[in-house]
Each structure stands twice: as C-alpha cells, then as structure tokens.
Amino acid sequence: MMAKLLAPEVFMIVKVVAVFIIVLTMVAVGTWVERRGAAFIQDRVGPNRVALFGKFRIMGLAQPVADGIKFFFKEDVIPANADKILFVLAPLIAFIPATMTFAAIPFGRSFDINGVHYFLSILPPATNIGVLYVFAIGSMGVYGIIVGAWASNNKWSILGGMRASAQIISYELAMTMAVVGVVLSTGSLRLDRVISAQTGLWNVVPQFLGALVFFVSMFAETNRLPFDFAEGESEIIGYHVEYGSMKFSMFALAEYANMITAAALFVTLYLGGWHFPWLDQWIWGSILAFLLKLVSILWIFVWVRWTLPRFRYDQLMRLGWKVMIPLSLVNMIVVALFLAYRG
Amino acid sequence: MKKEVKLSFWDRLYLPAILVGMGITIKHFFKNLFTPPSKRYTVEFPERKKDVPEWYRGLHRLNTRDDGSVKCVACYCCATACPADAIFIEAEDIDDLDESYPREKRPKQFIIDLHRCIFCGFCQEACPEDAIVLTNEYEITQLSRDEGLITMEELIKTPKKKMD
C-alpha cells in the first residue's frame, strides 16, 4: 500500500488532491472561525444554529456548508449592461491564482526512501523559481478585482476596483522589496533553500523590519482590514457590488485562499517554514509544525480585522509609499551591507 | 474646528497602540470563550427565555370567576378606551338574573385583533371588573391574519401572570 502510494506519479496526485482539499477546507472553516471569532471579540455568540441533519449543532461548524448551498441555489443575476464574458470570467480570474500560488510552498520536510527523493510541495523545488513564481502568480489576483469591477459597468464598483488595484500595486512594491532581503540572505530563489537557511534562527529575528513590512503589506495584498478598500463592506462600496450567488462566493473564497497563501508565504519566508524545535524530526511533525504556524497567522488576520478600524485612503497611500517602501529599502540595504562585510 | 493633537514619537509608531488594542480584543475573546452560554450577554431565545418584569404588558387574558364564567360584563369600557380600536365585543342578555349578585350582560363575542393592539394597557386600566388583564406572555405569533383575531375561548386560556 505504502509502496504504491510512493510511486512518484501517485505521490504527486495524492499531494495535489490533499493540498487542494486542505486549502479549501481551511477556507470554509476560516469563514466560520472569522464569524465566531468576531462574535466572541464583540461579546456576541455568532453563528451556532446550523446543525448537521438538523441535529448535530457542533458549534455551528455546518454554517459554511449552509452558506455554500445557499450560494449555489441563489438566482444568478447578470446586469443588463455588464460585459457578460468578463463578468463571468472575473471571479475565476480572482480564484484561480489564489489557489495556484500555494503550489510552490513546501509544507513539510523532504525525505528519501529507497534512494528516491520526495519533496512536500506541489512544484518541484528544483525549478528554482519559488519566490518569483509566488509573486508572479500572486499579483495576477488584482486582475480578478479590476476585471470584475470593469465588467460590472457600475460606477461604484469601478471606483472600488481602482482603489483596490492602486492599493495592491503600491503595497506589492514594499512587499517584494522586503522579500529581496530574504532572497539576499539565502542566496537562492528556491523556497526549500529559504527554509533550510533558517535552521536554528528564523528570519524574523535578523530581518525584523522586513518581516514587519511583509506582514503589513500582506494585509493590504489580501484586501483585509485595516486595508479592505477593495470590498469596504461596512460602508464604502467595493468592486463586487453587482455580483451575487456563486460568483460573489468565488470572490470571497479567493480572498480566503489569498489569505492562506499569504500566511503560508510569511511562514515560509520568515517563520522558518516547517522548522520547529523537536517537532520537525518527523515528517508528520514538520507538516504539523507548518500547519500550526499557518493557523496562528490566519488567526492573527481575524484578530487584527476586529481590532483595527479601516484607514482613510490618503493614510493608506502615505503609509504605503512613505513608510513601508523606505522601511523595506532600509531592510534591504542593511541585509546587503551585512552580507557584504561579513564576506 | 481644527484640533491640534501633538503625537509623541511613541504614538506615531502606531505599533504599541495596535498591540494594546489587540490585547483588549483578545481579552474579550477569551472571556467569551470560557463563559458558559448561560452566562453570556446573549440570551439564546428558544432554549432560554428572558424573564420579563412584572409590569410587562403581553398577551391579554380574560379572568374568570370561581364558577368558570367570564368576569366580563360587556360594559364596552375597554373597547372605548382602546386607542387602536382592537377590541370587538358583542353583548348578550343574561336571562336567569341572580338577585344576590345582579348582572345583566355578558359578552357573546369578545375578539381582540392582535395585529391592531398596541399593548398600551388602557383596557386593563378601564376595566371595572378586573376582567381583562395583560399577562407576561410575549410569544405571540400567528401564521395568518385570521389567527391574529383571538376569541374569548382563547383569551380565557392565556396563562396567568407569574407573580414572583
């Protein structure tokens, strides 16, 4: 059984399916955690009514299922003046890159059995483009937003889309330059090298500034509060006003999938990936360590969302261009100087 | 008005303030996480019911005498006092007049339109016989408009006010 499972092709398929299922499950559970977490933070109870088969309440964990069923059976409205092809395509453009980016991330230590090398990431690490791949695909996400906003043919959605794309593009600069520090200190774009370079000392400690910039930019990149100008659900109108039913749900799923990928990337780049004292001596332990870190970062997303109010747009731009980019430059230069003088 | 607020360097860093704020929210989170549902602020309705105060004005009740007949004498005081015109009474004569306790009328029909009623309690105030009272019953829902017209038979069955 185990030997069959370990045939390279089968192992690959098992990995893809497992990752896809786990990411999508985390998306679903994430919506539940967000709503119940928000409720508890605000002294409320949150969704706890939905019961499996009308009997098992399990703290409302069936809520995402109910939401999914609701979204599937809702009427699917396409506005009369919308660009129909783009309107249908936009949620897919948002969703696919969000799930694709996870492919490059190593979620456990690689191992050798019978002289065959097995790695725990979907893309082989030897492709040498790990960091680049993630950023290249990750920045495709903005197309989903801008195409969706444009295709809706609605002035509020196009304004929301413009805000969101300006924000994402500005913070991408800071984010990428913060990552340059990691790439410099590792000397490779391969994410498995990035992780193995962090054995003993995680990158957060020597590159605290870079980690901070990356962490803040992550919120802006994934359109999460305090930077949720794309959606602005509480008062300003966002890019998906015209969307309903499953198409709207796709945008929401894309946001959560983006969150998971961004958190996974932060864990990989700054928190030592699957490294964890004592735990990472086993393969399962390393996967568990990675998941633990991932879940904690995801919780911070929720936690921050219900703590901070939204920035004003000019404050957002000032923070992006006048604080985050200089800070990431400082981080890059410090790392570069340190590497140059250490020899 | 322009408010000049001088922020110190520490304030301008934002991060310490953010950390303090996150401390506050997580305190609330854990407080609610470890509070049993019965002690939370939210009263989860169908399972737990909120105790209403004694003066609460809920569903109407027609009181009865010891022999089971309605106390109402069909004087129309409540119907006259009703600002929402929610009470409809049809009186009828009592043939066998009891000399010891003379009464001439009793309601043949006593209908309250719950969709019109504003639960002001004027009927209760106007009633000379203490026949109509408003109870603590607040679960008053109907599936149709007709069910909202409650008759004398139903009004007698309304549970009495709980006096603690």
Side-chain angles (χ1 to χ4, degrees):
Chain A
M1 173 64 199
M2 209 52 194
K4 260 187 194 165
L5 201 64
L6 283 174
E9 298 83 13
V10 180
F11 186 64
M12 189 69 192
I13 292 167
V14 168
K15 253 183 340 195
V16 171
V17 171
V19 166
F20 203 68
I21 288 175
I22 287 174
V23 168
L24 285 186
T25 313
M26 280 173 85
V27 167
V29 176
T31 58
W32 174 79
V33 168
E34 173 132 283
R35 293 178 64 184
R36 293 230 67 185
F40 281 161
I41 284 171
Q42 298 169 350
D43 292 343
R44 293 184 287 116
V45 174
N48 64 349
R49 293 271 143 185
V50 180
L52 270 188
F53 311 115
K55 273 184 193 149
F56 309 106
R57 267 208 191 169
I58 42 173
M59 300 179 296
L61 249 175
Q63 184 72 40
V65 181
D67 286 344
I69 293 171
K70 182 194 78 174
F71 275 129
F72 265 117
F73 287 103
K74 262 191 161 177
E75 189 189 354
D76 195 23
V77 182
I78 299 179
N81 293 324
D83 185 328
K84 290 202 175 52
I85 297 168
L86 288 182
F87 191 81
V88 175
L89 223 54
L92 296 174
I93 300 176
F95 184 69
I96 291 172
T99 41
M100 262 171 81
T101 25
F102 203 88
I105 288 163
F107 51 88
R109 67 182 307 145
S110 49
F111 51 95
D112 292 288
I113 293 176
N114 300 335
V116 188
H117 185 69
Y118 294 99
F119 48 88
L120 283 174
S121 65
I122 294 175
L123 280 185
T127 36
N128 229 345
I129 52 161
V131 179
L132 262 186
Y133 170 83
V134 171
F135 280 97
I137 304 290
S139 53
M140 296 279 285
V142 75
Y143 284 107
I145 290 173
I146 197 83
V147 167
W150 178 259
S152 301
N153 198 5
N154 174 317
K155 53 181 171 261
W156 306 113
S157 71
I158 192 85
L159 282 174
M162 295 307 284
R163 275 199 311 267
S165 45
Q167 166 196 332
I168 290 177
I169 290 166
S170 327
Y171 277 77
E172 207 155 66
L173 284 175
M175 197 178 193
T176 325
M177 277 198 282
V179 173
V180 170
V182 174
V183 174
L184 275 179
S185 68
T186 312
S188 170
L189 282 170
R190 289 172 60 164
L191 283 168
D192 60 329
R193 292 258 170 84
V194 171
I195 290 174
S196 56
Q198 295 180 70
T199 321
L201 184 68
W202 297 351
N203 270 339
V204 233
V205 185
Q207 299 194 30
F208 178 73
L209 213 54
L212 187 73
V213 170
F214 188 90
F215 196 68
V216 174
S217 308
M218 212 162 79
F219 283 83
E221 284 288 297
T222 52
N223 295 320
R224 295 281 299 179
L225 261 142
F227 305 110
D228 71 329
F229 285 90
E231 191 181 354
E233 51 176 3
S234 46
E235 66 279 275
I236 50 178
I237 307 170
Y239 61 99
H240 48 31
V241 246
E242 298 287 0
Y243 280 93
S245 73
M246 207 52 206
K247 294 206 199 71
F248 173 82
S249 166
M250 288 286 257
F251 278 121
L253 288 180
E255 182 186 322
Y256 279 89
N258 266 326
M259 260 167 74
I260 290 170
T261 316
L265 196 59
F266 184 77
V267 168
T268 311
L269 291 175
Y270 291 100
L271 292 182
W274 40 262
H275 281 300
F276 202 80
W278 181 72
L279 206 56
D280 64 355
Q281 46 188 316
W282 304 286
I283 298 157
W284 285 110
S286 68
I287 296 175
L288 186 69
F290 179 79
L291 280 177
L292 275 180
K293 288 178 192 175
L294 185 60
V295 167
S296 344
I297 299 291
L298 286 175
W299 169 248
I300 293 178
F301 268 107
V302 173
W303 185 7
V304 164
R305 173 167 182 186
W306 303 105
T307 305
L308 298 180
R310 185 188 302 123
F311 281 90
R312 224 191 310 133
Y313 190 63
D314 61 320
Q315 290 169 334
L316 168 96
M317 281 299 163
R318 197 171 62 214
L319 185 72
W321 290 97
K322 285 178 149 180
V323 181
M324 286 304 156
I325 290 179
L327 276 183
S328 60
L329 278 174
V330 166
N331 174 66
M332 198 171 90
I333 290 166
V334 167
V335 172
L337 285 179
F338 179 78
L339 287 174
Y341 281 94
R342 204 189 47 180
Chain B
M1 191 174 74
K2 200 179 174 194
K3 276 188 191 164
E4 287 292 343
V5 182
K6 276 264 177 265
L7 293 177
S8 66
F9 177 71
W10 192 250
D11 291 332
R12 277 152 55 99
L13 272 182
Y14 291 121
L15 285 175
I18 288 175
L19 290 179
V20 171
M22 286 176 78
I24 292 171
T25 45
I26 205 72
K27 218 159 52 191
H28 277 266
F29 177 79
F30 281 116
K31 197 187 85 191
N32 285 293
L33 192 65
F34 294 118
T35 316
S38 56
K39 297 229 170 82
R40 288 192 191 130
Y41 295 117
T42 314
V43 179
E44 293 187 52
F45 169 62
E47 293 89 34
R48 288 180 57 219
K49 282 173 188 162
K50 199 167 160 57
D51 292 326
V52 288
E54 203 188 292
W55 47 260
Y56 186 86
R57 298 191 296 262
L59 187 62
H60 317 70
R61 175 187 158 77
L62 278 182
N63 283 330
T64 50
R65 298 197 192 81
D66 293 337
D67 62 353
S69 59
V70 188
K71 271 188 179 177
C72 178
V73 293
C75 69
Y76 289 88
C77 280
C78 52
T80 313
C82 183
D85 197 12
I87 304 178
F88 171 79
I89 304 172
E90 191 189 334
E92 87 184 324
D93 279 332
I94 300 179
D95 303 326
D96 46 343
L97 187 68
D98 187 354
E99 293 295 340
S100 60
Y101 189 62
R103 280 167 285 143
E104 290 170 359
K105 291 198 293 181
R106 66 175 172 212
K108 189 181 173 196
Q109 269 193 312
F110 194 109
I111 299 173
I112 293 177
D113 188 346
L114 287 179
H115 297 123
R116 295 194 68 107
C117 178
I118 58 172
F119 299 95
C120 62
F122 282 8
C123 48
Q124 181 182 355
E125 296 293 325
C127 187
E129 295 283 316
D130 272 351
I132 187 163
V133 287
L134 298 185
T135 62
N136 282 340
E137 224 19 62
Y138 56 86
E139 288 171 63
I140 315 167
T141 50
Q142 300 87 30
L143 292 175
S144 67
R145 297 217 165 221
D146 290 339
E147 286 172 60
L149 301 168
I150 50 171
T151 58
M152 193 156 63
E153 288 72 39
E154 287 165 83
L155 283 165
I156 292 168
K157 281 182 204 140
T158 310
K160 277 187 184 162
K161 189 183 252 185
K162 281 183 224 98
M163 292 291 199
D164 302 320

